[in-house]
Amino acid sequence: SGRKIRPFAQYAFGKLLDDDKTMRRLGKRRDVDKALSYLFEAVDSGLAYAMCLVGNIIQDYRHNEEELAGTARGYDIGEVPTVAGDTSTAMCWWARAAQTAAVPEALYNTGVAYGLGMGGTPKDLKRAAHATSSPLRASLQRTRQVQSTISSM
């Protein structure tokens, strides 16, 4: 049973190492490389949430580097970040997470990328709407299945 828990521990440790605020509270520095090494181990075990977080790290990486260098700037709501990381690679990771376990965050992130045209992604409001509504449709479908099962008892 320890093997089943291991991917979740790797994911949690990777998430912790990527969290700048938490690491500062622990008196440590954020370590993206080490975080990714743990996350890739969790990905190898098929953990979809790790796939999504890898995409998030890839998307945010350049902005985080600029923050560390003091050259990043804030963005207003609705303003497209010009310092986005590698959005196309991030979207591949989000797609993998969505296909593996329909991770809502991955679908939402994909929708935002299409909706805002982030990082060179073509702005496509139809795809954005489809991606962001997918978690809701999946949730409604699961609710109907549960209701059907209960009704047949």
Side-chain angles (χ1 to χ4, degrees), residues 21-57:
K21 287 181 184 177
T22 303
M23 293 304 288
R24 273 191 270 143
R25 275 189 236 134
L26 295 171
K28 305 282 184 186
R29 294 182 63 150
R30 179 175 180 238
D31 190 337
V32 175
D33 292 333
K34 195 177 274 188
L36 286 171
S37 72
Y38 281 101
L39 290 169
F40 285 137
E41 288 184 45
V43 164
D44 288 344
S45 297
L47 190 63
Y49 284 95
M51 297 170 197
C52 183
L53 185 53
V54 168
N56 295 352
I57 290 171

Side-chain angles (χ1 to χ4, degrees), residues 37 53 75 85 93 102 112 129 131 133 135 141:
S37 72
L53 185 53
Y75 293 91
W93 282 101
V112 169
S133 66
Q141 184 178 3

Side-chain angles (χ1 to χ4, degrees), residues 73-80:
R73 68 176 190 81
Y75 293 91
D76 295 327
I77 293 174
E79 185 178 359
V80 180

